Short mmCIF file of all heavy atoms in Angstrom, two decimals:
data_model
loop_
_atom_site.label_atom_id
_atom_site.label_comp_id
_atom_site.label_asym_id
_atom_site.label_seq_id
_atom_site.Cartn_x
_atom_site.Cartn_y
_atom_site.Cartn_z
N LEU A 1 5.63 -13.05 10.93
CA LEU A 1 4.99 -12.36 12.05
C LEU A 1 4.34 -11.15 11.55
O LEU A 1 3.20 -10.88 11.95
CB LEU A 1 6.12 -12.02 13.10
CG LEU A 1 5.60 -11.19 14.25
CD1 LEU A 1 4.66 -12.02 15.13
CD2 LEU A 1 6.79 -10.69 15.08
N LEU A 2 4.98 -10.37 10.70
CA LEU A 2 4.36 -9.14 10.16
C LEU A 2 3.18 -9.46 9.33
O LEU A 2 2.12 -8.74 9.35
CB LEU A 2 5.40 -8.29 9.43
CG LEU A 2 6.46 -7.69 10.31
CD1 LEU A 2 7.56 -7.07 9.46
CD2 LEU A 2 5.92 -6.63 11.26
N ARG A 3 3.26 -10.50 8.56
CA ARG A 3 2.11 -10.91 7.70
C ARG A 3 0.93 -11.26 8.56
O ARG A 3 -0.20 -10.93 8.30
CB ARG A 3 2.55 -12.05 6.82
CG ARG A 3 1.66 -12.25 5.59
CD ARG A 3 2.17 -13.25 4.59
NE ARG A 3 3.44 -12.76 4.08
CZ ARG A 3 4.57 -13.52 4.02
NH1 ARG A 3 4.57 -14.83 4.44
NH2 ARG A 3 5.68 -13.07 3.49
N ALA A 4 1.18 -12.01 9.66
CA ALA A 4 0.10 -12.39 10.55
C ALA A 4 -0.48 -11.18 11.22
O ALA A 4 -1.69 -11.10 11.39
CB ALA A 4 0.66 -13.38 11.62
N ALA A 5 0.35 -10.20 11.59
CA ALA A 5 -0.12 -9.01 12.20
C ALA A 5 -1.02 -8.22 11.19
O ALA A 5 -2.04 -7.63 11.59
CB ALA A 5 1.07 -8.10 12.65
N GLU A 6 -0.61 -8.18 9.94
CA GLU A 6 -1.40 -7.49 8.91
C GLU A 6 -2.80 -8.11 8.81
O GLU A 6 -3.77 -7.47 8.49
CB GLU A 6 -0.74 -7.61 7.58
CG GLU A 6 0.49 -6.74 7.44
CD GLU A 6 1.29 -7.03 6.15
OE1 GLU A 6 0.96 -8.02 5.44
OE2 GLU A 6 2.19 -6.29 5.87
N GLN A 7 -2.88 -9.45 9.04
CA GLN A 7 -4.13 -10.18 8.93
C GLN A 7 -4.96 -10.11 10.23
O GLN A 7 -5.98 -10.70 10.35
CB GLN A 7 -3.89 -11.56 8.53
CG GLN A 7 -3.25 -11.73 7.12
CD GLN A 7 -2.84 -13.13 6.82
OE1 GLN A 7 -2.86 -14.00 7.66
NE2 GLN A 7 -2.38 -13.28 5.59
N GLY A 8 -4.41 -9.32 11.20
CA GLY A 8 -5.19 -9.14 12.46
C GLY A 8 -4.94 -10.15 13.59
O GLY A 8 -5.66 -10.16 14.55
N ASP A 9 -3.93 -11.00 13.41
CA ASP A 9 -3.65 -11.94 14.47
C ASP A 9 -3.23 -11.23 15.75
O ASP A 9 -2.32 -10.42 15.82
CB ASP A 9 -2.53 -12.90 14.02
CG ASP A 9 -2.15 -13.93 15.10
OD1 ASP A 9 -1.44 -13.57 16.04
OD2 ASP A 9 -2.58 -15.07 14.89
N HIS A 10 -4.01 -11.49 16.82
CA HIS A 10 -3.84 -10.74 18.08
C HIS A 10 -2.47 -10.90 18.65
O HIS A 10 -1.85 -9.96 19.08
CB HIS A 10 -4.88 -11.20 19.11
CG HIS A 10 -4.74 -10.57 20.38
ND1 HIS A 10 -5.06 -9.23 20.61
CD2 HIS A 10 -4.33 -11.02 21.61
CE1 HIS A 10 -4.81 -8.90 21.87
NE2 HIS A 10 -4.33 -10.01 22.47
N GLU A 11 -1.94 -12.11 18.70
CA GLU A 11 -0.62 -12.38 19.24
C GLU A 11 0.48 -11.72 18.44
O GLU A 11 1.49 -11.17 18.92
CB GLU A 11 -0.34 -13.89 19.39
CG GLU A 11 -1.22 -14.53 20.46
CD GLU A 11 -1.00 -13.92 21.85
OE1 GLU A 11 0.15 -13.69 22.26
OE2 GLU A 11 -2.02 -13.69 22.56
N ALA A 12 0.33 -11.71 17.10
CA ALA A 12 1.31 -11.09 16.25
C ALA A 12 1.27 -9.58 16.41
O ALA A 12 2.33 -8.90 16.46
CB ALA A 12 1.08 -11.44 14.76
N LEU A 13 0.05 -9.00 16.50
CA LEU A 13 -0.04 -7.56 16.75
C LEU A 13 0.62 -7.19 18.05
O LEU A 13 1.26 -6.13 18.15
CB LEU A 13 -1.49 -7.17 16.70
CG LEU A 13 -2.18 -7.12 15.32
CD1 LEU A 13 -3.68 -7.01 15.47
CD2 LEU A 13 -1.60 -5.95 14.55
N LYS A 14 0.42 -8.02 19.07
CA LYS A 14 1.02 -7.77 20.36
C LYS A 14 2.56 -7.77 20.28
O LYS A 14 3.27 -6.92 20.83
CB LYS A 14 0.48 -8.81 21.34
CG LYS A 14 0.91 -8.57 22.77
CD LYS A 14 0.13 -9.61 23.64
CE LYS A 14 0.89 -9.82 24.92
NZ LYS A 14 0.19 -10.83 25.74
N ALA A 15 3.06 -8.74 19.54
CA ALA A 15 4.58 -8.86 19.35
C ALA A 15 5.12 -7.68 18.62
O ALA A 15 6.17 -7.12 18.96
CB ALA A 15 4.90 -10.16 18.64
N VAL A 16 4.42 -7.28 17.59
CA VAL A 16 4.89 -6.06 16.79
C VAL A 16 4.83 -4.80 17.65
O VAL A 16 5.74 -3.98 17.64
CB VAL A 16 4.07 -5.90 15.54
CG1 VAL A 16 4.32 -4.59 14.86
CG2 VAL A 16 4.29 -6.99 14.55
N ALA A 17 3.80 -4.71 18.44
CA ALA A 17 3.68 -3.54 19.36
C ALA A 17 4.85 -3.56 20.37
O ALA A 17 5.48 -2.46 20.65
CB ALA A 17 2.34 -3.57 20.10
N GLN A 18 5.20 -4.69 20.92
CA GLN A 18 6.28 -4.77 21.87
C GLN A 18 7.58 -4.45 21.18
O GLN A 18 8.46 -3.75 21.78
CB GLN A 18 6.35 -6.17 22.49
CG GLN A 18 5.21 -6.47 23.48
CD GLN A 18 5.24 -7.91 23.98
OE1 GLN A 18 5.73 -8.85 23.31
NE2 GLN A 18 4.52 -8.12 25.04
N ALA A 19 7.81 -4.95 20.01
CA ALA A 19 9.09 -4.67 19.27
C ALA A 19 9.14 -3.18 18.95
O ALA A 19 10.21 -2.60 19.06
CB ALA A 19 9.13 -5.55 17.97
N GLY A 20 8.03 -2.63 18.54
CA GLY A 20 8.02 -1.14 18.22
C GLY A 20 8.28 -0.34 19.42
O GLY A 20 9.00 0.64 19.38
N ARG A 21 7.74 -0.76 20.55
CA ARG A 21 7.99 -0.05 21.83
C ARG A 21 9.46 -0.12 22.19
O ARG A 21 10.05 0.89 22.58
CB ARG A 21 7.10 -0.62 22.97
CG ARG A 21 7.28 -0.08 24.28
CD ARG A 21 6.55 1.25 24.41
NE ARG A 21 6.83 1.78 25.76
CZ ARG A 21 6.35 2.91 26.11
NH1 ARG A 21 5.59 3.63 25.31
NH2 ARG A 21 6.63 3.39 27.35
N ALA A 22 10.09 -1.25 22.06
CA ALA A 22 11.49 -1.40 22.44
C ALA A 22 12.35 -0.59 21.49
O ALA A 22 13.29 0.12 21.95
CB ALA A 22 11.88 -2.91 22.35
N LEU A 23 12.04 -0.55 20.23
CA LEU A 23 12.79 0.24 19.30
C LEU A 23 12.55 1.73 19.54
O LEU A 23 13.50 2.52 19.44
CB LEU A 23 12.38 -0.15 17.85
CG LEU A 23 13.18 0.42 16.72
CD1 LEU A 23 14.72 0.14 16.90
CD2 LEU A 23 12.72 -0.12 15.39
N GLY A 24 11.33 2.07 19.88
CA GLY A 24 11.07 3.47 20.23
C GLY A 24 11.77 3.97 21.48
O GLY A 24 12.25 5.07 21.53
N GLU A 25 11.94 3.07 22.44
CA GLU A 25 12.62 3.41 23.68
C GLU A 25 14.13 3.58 23.33
O GLU A 25 14.80 4.50 23.89
CB GLU A 25 12.44 2.32 24.71
CG GLU A 25 11.04 2.37 25.29
CD GLU A 25 10.74 1.18 26.21
OE1 GLU A 25 11.53 0.21 26.28
OE2 GLU A 25 9.60 1.22 26.80
N ALA A 26 14.68 2.73 22.46
CA ALA A 26 16.09 2.87 22.04
C ALA A 26 16.25 4.22 21.32
O ALA A 26 17.27 4.95 21.51
CB ALA A 26 16.50 1.73 21.19
N ALA A 27 15.32 4.53 20.46
CA ALA A 27 15.41 5.81 19.73
C ALA A 27 15.25 6.97 20.64
O ALA A 27 15.91 8.05 20.43
CB ALA A 27 14.27 5.83 18.67
N THR A 28 14.49 6.83 21.72
CA THR A 28 14.39 7.92 22.70
C THR A 28 15.73 8.17 23.39
O THR A 28 16.14 9.32 23.58
CB THR A 28 13.33 7.52 23.76
OG1 THR A 28 12.12 7.36 23.15
CG2 THR A 28 13.26 8.54 24.86
N ALA A 29 16.48 7.11 23.67
CA ALA A 29 17.80 7.26 24.26
C ALA A 29 18.71 8.02 23.27
O ALA A 29 19.51 8.89 23.73
CB ALA A 29 18.37 5.88 24.57
N VAL A 30 18.62 7.69 22.00
CA VAL A 30 19.46 8.40 21.01
C VAL A 30 19.09 9.88 20.97
O VAL A 30 19.95 10.72 20.96
CB VAL A 30 19.28 7.77 19.62
CG1 VAL A 30 19.92 8.66 18.53
CG2 VAL A 30 19.87 6.43 19.57
N THR A 31 17.80 10.21 20.97
CA THR A 31 17.38 11.58 20.88
C THR A 31 17.74 12.36 22.14
O THR A 31 17.85 13.64 22.09
CB THR A 31 15.87 11.71 20.65
OG1 THR A 31 15.14 11.19 21.76
CG2 THR A 31 15.44 11.07 19.32
N SER A 32 17.95 11.69 23.24
CA SER A 32 18.41 12.41 24.43
C SER A 32 19.85 12.86 24.38
O SER A 32 20.33 13.75 25.05
CB SER A 32 18.15 11.58 25.69
OG SER A 32 19.06 10.48 25.77
N VAL A 33 20.62 12.15 23.47
CA VAL A 33 22.04 12.48 23.34
C VAL A 33 22.26 13.37 22.09
O VAL A 33 23.05 14.32 22.11
CB VAL A 33 22.88 11.20 23.18
CG1 VAL A 33 24.32 11.48 22.89
CG2 VAL A 33 22.79 10.33 24.43
N VAL A 34 21.52 13.03 21.05
CA VAL A 34 21.66 13.77 19.77
C VAL A 34 20.30 14.40 19.47
O VAL A 34 19.34 13.72 19.34
CB VAL A 34 22.01 12.84 18.58
CG1 VAL A 34 22.14 13.55 17.30
CG2 VAL A 34 23.30 12.01 18.90
N ASP A 35 20.25 15.71 19.41
CA ASP A 35 19.05 16.43 19.14
C ASP A 35 18.72 16.25 17.68
O ASP A 35 19.17 16.99 16.79
CB ASP A 35 19.18 17.89 19.43
CG ASP A 35 17.92 18.69 19.32
OD1 ASP A 35 16.84 18.06 19.31
OD2 ASP A 35 18.01 19.88 19.16
N CYS A 36 17.83 15.26 17.37
CA CYS A 36 17.49 15.02 15.93
C CYS A 36 15.96 15.27 15.71
O CYS A 36 15.18 15.13 16.61
CB CYS A 36 17.87 13.57 15.53
SG CYS A 36 17.16 12.28 16.57
N GLU A 37 15.66 15.64 14.51
CA GLU A 37 14.32 15.90 14.12
C GLU A 37 13.69 14.69 13.47
O GLU A 37 12.42 14.65 13.32
CB GLU A 37 14.23 17.09 13.19
CG GLU A 37 14.64 18.38 13.82
CD GLU A 37 14.64 19.55 12.88
OE1 GLU A 37 14.12 19.40 11.72
OE2 GLU A 37 15.11 20.66 13.24
N MET A 38 14.51 13.77 13.02
CA MET A 38 13.99 12.63 12.26
C MET A 38 14.86 11.37 12.49
O MET A 38 16.10 11.49 12.62
CB MET A 38 14.03 12.92 10.76
CG MET A 38 13.47 11.83 9.89
SD MET A 38 13.65 12.24 8.14
CE MET A 38 12.75 13.75 7.97
N ILE A 39 14.21 10.24 12.61
CA ILE A 39 14.85 8.95 12.68
C ILE A 39 14.43 8.16 11.46
O ILE A 39 13.25 8.01 11.22
CB ILE A 39 14.50 8.25 13.97
CG1 ILE A 39 15.01 9.06 15.13
CG2 ILE A 39 15.03 6.78 13.97
CD1 ILE A 39 14.69 8.54 16.54
N VAL A 40 15.40 7.65 10.72
CA VAL A 40 15.13 6.90 9.54
C VAL A 40 15.42 5.37 9.79
O VAL A 40 16.50 5.04 10.22
CB VAL A 40 16.00 7.35 8.32
CG1 VAL A 40 15.69 6.56 7.10
CG2 VAL A 40 15.80 8.85 8.10
N LEU A 41 14.39 4.54 9.57
CA LEU A 41 14.60 3.09 9.71
C LEU A 41 14.59 2.48 8.38
O LEU A 41 13.91 2.88 7.44
CB LEU A 41 13.39 2.54 10.59
CG LEU A 41 13.26 3.08 11.98
CD1 LEU A 41 12.09 2.44 12.68
CD2 LEU A 41 14.53 2.81 12.78
N GLY A 42 15.36 1.40 8.29
CA GLY A 42 15.54 0.71 6.98
C GLY A 42 15.33 -0.78 7.13
O GLY A 42 15.15 -1.33 8.19
N GLY A 43 15.46 -1.44 6.01
CA GLY A 43 15.35 -2.90 5.96
C GLY A 43 13.98 -3.36 5.85
O GLY A 43 12.98 -2.55 5.98
N PRO A 44 13.75 -4.63 5.55
CA PRO A 44 12.41 -5.11 5.31
C PRO A 44 11.49 -5.07 6.58
O PRO A 44 10.28 -4.93 6.49
CB PRO A 44 12.59 -6.52 4.86
CG PRO A 44 13.94 -6.92 5.33
CD PRO A 44 14.77 -5.66 5.38
N VAL A 45 12.06 -5.11 7.78
CA VAL A 45 11.28 -5.04 8.99
C VAL A 45 11.15 -3.56 9.46
O VAL A 45 10.04 -3.13 9.77
CB VAL A 45 11.95 -5.88 10.11
CG1 VAL A 45 11.18 -5.72 11.37
CG2 VAL A 45 11.99 -7.37 9.71
N GLY A 46 12.19 -2.82 9.43
CA GLY A 46 12.22 -1.45 9.91
C GLY A 46 11.30 -0.52 9.15
O GLY A 46 10.90 0.49 9.67
N THR A 47 10.99 -0.85 7.93
CA THR A 47 10.18 0.00 7.10
C THR A 47 8.70 -0.42 7.04
O THR A 47 7.89 0.20 6.39
CB THR A 47 10.70 0.02 5.60
OG1 THR A 47 10.70 -1.27 5.06
CG2 THR A 47 12.06 0.67 5.55
N HIS A 48 8.33 -1.49 7.83
CA HIS A 48 6.96 -1.91 7.83
C HIS A 48 6.10 -0.90 8.53
O HIS A 48 6.42 -0.49 9.65
CB HIS A 48 6.89 -3.27 8.51
CG HIS A 48 5.58 -3.99 8.21
ND1 HIS A 48 4.48 -3.68 8.95
CD2 HIS A 48 5.29 -4.91 7.32
CE1 HIS A 48 3.44 -4.41 8.45
NE2 HIS A 48 3.95 -5.18 7.48
N PRO A 49 4.93 -0.56 7.92
CA PRO A 49 4.07 0.44 8.54
C PRO A 49 3.61 0.18 9.97
O PRO A 49 3.53 1.11 10.80
CB PRO A 49 2.90 0.52 7.61
CG PRO A 49 3.42 -0.03 6.29
CD PRO A 49 4.47 -0.99 6.67
N LEU A 50 3.31 -1.04 10.30
CA LEU A 50 2.87 -1.38 11.65
C LEU A 50 3.96 -1.10 12.68
O LEU A 50 3.73 -0.58 13.75
CB LEU A 50 2.44 -2.87 11.73
CG LEU A 50 1.16 -3.24 11.01
CD1 LEU A 50 0.92 -4.77 11.07
CD2 LEU A 50 -0.02 -2.49 11.62
N LEU A 51 5.20 -1.45 12.30
CA LEU A 51 6.31 -1.20 13.24
C LEU A 51 6.64 0.27 13.35
O LEU A 51 6.77 0.84 14.45
CB LEU A 51 7.57 -1.94 12.77
CG LEU A 51 8.74 -1.87 13.75
CD1 LEU A 51 8.40 -2.63 15.03
CD2 LEU A 51 9.98 -2.47 13.13
N LEU A 52 6.62 0.96 12.18
CA LEU A 52 6.85 2.42 12.19
C LEU A 52 5.83 3.17 13.08
O LEU A 52 6.20 4.05 13.82
CB LEU A 52 6.82 2.96 10.76
CG LEU A 52 8.00 2.70 9.90
CD1 LEU A 52 7.73 3.10 8.45
CD2 LEU A 52 9.23 3.31 10.37
N ARG A 53 4.61 2.74 12.98
CA ARG A 53 3.58 3.36 13.82
C ARG A 53 3.82 3.24 15.30
O ARG A 53 3.67 4.16 16.06
CB ARG A 53 2.19 2.79 13.41
CG ARG A 53 1.07 3.48 14.04
CD ARG A 53 -0.36 3.08 13.53
NE ARG A 53 -0.48 1.70 13.28
CZ ARG A 53 -0.75 1.17 12.03
NH1 ARG A 53 -0.92 1.96 10.99
NH2 ARG A 53 -0.95 -0.10 11.95
N GLU A 54 4.26 2.03 15.68
CA GLU A 54 4.53 1.80 17.11
C GLU A 54 5.73 2.58 17.58
O GLU A 54 5.73 3.16 18.72
CB GLU A 54 4.69 0.33 17.39
CG GLU A 54 3.47 -0.51 17.21
CD GLU A 54 2.36 -0.07 18.16
OE1 GLU A 54 2.63 0.37 19.29
OE2 GLU A 54 1.15 -0.20 17.76
N VAL A 55 6.74 2.66 16.78
CA VAL A 55 7.93 3.42 17.13
C VAL A 55 7.58 4.93 17.26
O VAL A 55 7.93 5.58 18.27
CB VAL A 55 9.08 3.23 16.11
CG1 VAL A 55 10.22 4.13 16.42
CG2 VAL A 55 9.53 1.81 16.04
N GLN A 56 6.80 5.46 16.35
CA GLN A 56 6.36 6.82 16.37
C GLN A 56 5.54 7.06 17.61
O GLN A 56 5.72 8.11 18.31
CB GLN A 56 5.64 7.20 15.13
CG GLN A 56 5.21 8.71 15.07
CD GLN A 56 6.43 9.59 14.89
OE1 GLN A 56 7.03 9.53 13.90
NE2 GLN A 56 6.67 10.42 15.90
N ARG A 57 4.64 6.20 17.94
CA ARG A 57 3.74 6.33 19.13
C ARG A 57 4.58 6.42 20.40
O ARG A 57 4.35 7.27 21.27
CB ARG A 57 2.73 5.14 19.18
CG ARG A 57 1.81 5.30 20.35
CD ARG A 57 0.80 4.17 20.37
NE ARG A 57 0.01 4.24 19.12
CZ ARG A 57 -0.46 3.23 18.47
NH1 ARG A 57 -0.19 2.00 18.86
NH2 ARG A 57 -1.17 3.38 17.42
N THR A 58 5.62 5.57 20.52
CA THR A 58 6.44 5.56 21.65
C THR A 58 7.27 6.87 21.79
O THR A 58 7.33 7.47 22.86
CB THR A 58 7.45 4.35 21.60
OG1 THR A 58 6.70 3.15 21.56
CG2 THR A 58 8.33 4.33 22.84
N LEU A 59 7.85 7.31 20.67
CA LEU A 59 8.56 8.58 20.65
C LEU A 59 7.65 9.74 21.03
O LEU A 59 8.06 10.60 21.82
CB LEU A 59 9.20 8.84 19.32
CG LEU A 59 10.50 8.14 19.03
CD1 LEU A 59 10.95 8.30 17.60
CD2 LEU A 59 11.63 8.67 19.97
N ASP A 60 6.47 9.76 20.55
CA ASP A 60 5.53 10.83 20.86
C ASP A 60 5.24 10.87 22.37
O ASP A 60 5.00 11.94 22.90
CB ASP A 60 4.20 10.66 20.08
CG ASP A 60 4.39 10.93 18.59
OD1 ASP A 60 5.39 11.51 18.13
OD2 ASP A 60 3.47 10.53 17.85
N GLN A 61 5.22 9.72 22.97
CA GLN A 61 4.92 9.62 24.42
C GLN A 61 6.13 10.05 25.28
O GLN A 61 5.97 10.57 26.37
CB GLN A 61 4.51 8.20 24.83
CG GLN A 61 3.19 7.76 24.27
CD GLN A 61 2.93 6.29 24.53
OE1 GLN A 61 3.79 5.50 24.96
NE2 GLN A 61 1.72 5.88 24.19
N LEU A 62 7.39 9.76 24.79
CA LEU A 62 8.53 9.85 25.64
C LEU A 62 9.47 11.06 25.38
O LEU A 62 10.27 11.42 26.20
CB LEU A 62 9.35 8.60 25.57
CG LEU A 62 8.64 7.30 26.01
CD1 LEU A 62 9.59 6.10 25.79
CD2 LEU A 62 8.24 7.41 27.45
N VAL A 63 9.32 11.66 24.17
CA VAL A 63 10.28 12.71 23.75
C VAL A 63 9.54 14.04 23.74
O VAL A 63 8.43 14.12 23.15
CB VAL A 63 10.89 12.42 22.41
CG1 VAL A 63 11.80 13.58 21.92
CG2 VAL A 63 11.69 11.12 22.45
N ALA A 64 10.10 15.09 24.32
CA ALA A 64 9.41 16.37 24.39
C ALA A 64 9.37 17.05 23.04
O ALA A 64 8.34 17.60 22.65
CB ALA A 64 10.11 17.27 25.42
N ALA A 65 10.46 17.02 22.30
CA ALA A 65 10.57 17.65 20.96
C ALA A 65 10.03 16.72 19.90
O ALA A 65 10.30 15.54 19.97
CB ALA A 65 11.97 18.07 20.69
N PRO A 66 9.25 17.21 18.95
CA PRO A 66 8.72 16.33 17.89
C PRO A 66 9.85 15.68 17.16
O PRO A 66 10.84 16.36 16.72
CB PRO A 66 7.95 17.34 17.00
CG PRO A 66 7.87 18.60 17.78
CD PRO A 66 8.90 18.60 18.77
N THR A 67 9.78 14.37 17.00
CA THR A 67 10.74 13.62 16.19
C THR A 67 10.01 12.67 15.30
O THR A 67 9.22 11.85 15.70
CB THR A 67 11.65 12.79 17.17
OG1 THR A 67 12.22 13.67 18.15
CG2 THR A 67 12.68 12.03 16.40
N ALA A 68 10.22 12.81 14.03
CA ALA A 68 9.55 11.99 13.03
C ALA A 68 10.27 10.67 12.83
O ALA A 68 11.48 10.65 12.87
CB ALA A 68 9.49 12.75 11.68
N VAL A 69 9.50 9.59 12.58
CA VAL A 69 10.02 8.33 12.25
C VAL A 69 9.61 7.97 10.87
O VAL A 69 8.41 7.97 10.61
CB VAL A 69 9.59 7.20 13.26
CG1 VAL A 69 10.12 5.87 12.85
CG2 VAL A 69 9.92 7.55 14.67
N VAL A 70 10.53 7.78 9.94
CA VAL A 70 10.22 7.49 8.58
C VAL A 70 10.97 6.26 8.05
O VAL A 70 12.02 5.88 8.60
CB VAL A 70 10.56 8.72 7.68
CG1 VAL A 70 9.76 9.98 8.09
CG2 VAL A 70 12.00 9.06 7.68
N ALA A 71 10.45 5.71 6.96
CA ALA A 71 11.06 4.54 6.31
C ALA A 71 12.13 5.10 5.38
O ALA A 71 11.92 6.06 4.67
CB ALA A 71 10.02 3.74 5.61
N SER A 72 13.25 4.35 5.27
CA SER A 72 14.27 4.69 4.37
C SER A 72 13.80 4.55 2.91
O SER A 72 13.07 3.62 2.60
CB SER A 72 15.49 3.79 4.56
OG SER A 72 16.40 3.86 3.52
N ALA A 73 14.19 5.44 2.07
CA ALA A 73 13.78 5.35 0.66
C ALA A 73 14.51 4.20 -0.01
O ALA A 73 14.07 3.69 -1.06
CB ALA A 73 14.13 6.71 -0.08
N LEU A 74 15.64 3.78 0.58
CA LEU A 74 16.36 2.68 -0.03
C LEU A 74 15.90 1.32 0.47
O LEU A 74 16.46 0.29 -0.01
CB LEU A 74 17.86 2.90 0.27
CG LEU A 74 18.51 4.16 -0.27
CD1 LEU A 74 19.92 4.31 0.20
CD2 LEU A 74 18.41 4.19 -1.78
N GLY A 75 15.04 1.30 1.41
CA GLY A 75 14.55 0.01 1.88
C GLY A 75 15.39 -0.52 3.04
O GLY A 75 16.10 -0.03 3.71
#
């Protein structure tokens, strides 16, 4: 799916955007309970730039305080 999204497949890009939005909404819930400045995502999917961008976009829209979304250095 991510490979297809990288190649510009419209349906794959749409699926990645939806997944990123859902993950961003979950992260928003966490930030409402725990005041964090950064959220670290890991694993082969969580560190993908397309997904990270969607999660960050969602957080920027929903969270008042700036919260960075970064990829884990360990993968």
Side-chain angles (χ1 to χ4, degrees):
L1 177 67
L2 292 170
R3 200 170 298 129
E6 288 171 351
Q7 295 173 354
D9 180 279
H10 178 70
E11 291 301 315
L13 286 167
K14 188 172 155 184
V16 170
Q18 289 173 340
R21 177 79 182 178
L23 190 53
E25 290 171 351
T28 298
V30 171
T31 63
S32 69
V33 175
V34 180
D35 183 22
C36 55
E37 295 177 8
M38 181 184 303
I39 295 175
V40 180
L41 298 178
V45 175
T47 59
H48 196 280
L50 289 174
L51 186 67
L52 286 171
R53 185 170 43 240
E54 291 300 327
V55 174
Q56 184 68 65
R57 182 177 298 144
T58 301
L59 279 171
D60 291 345
Q61 292 172 352
L62 300 177
V63 176
T67 305
V69 178
V70 298
S72 167
L74 300 176

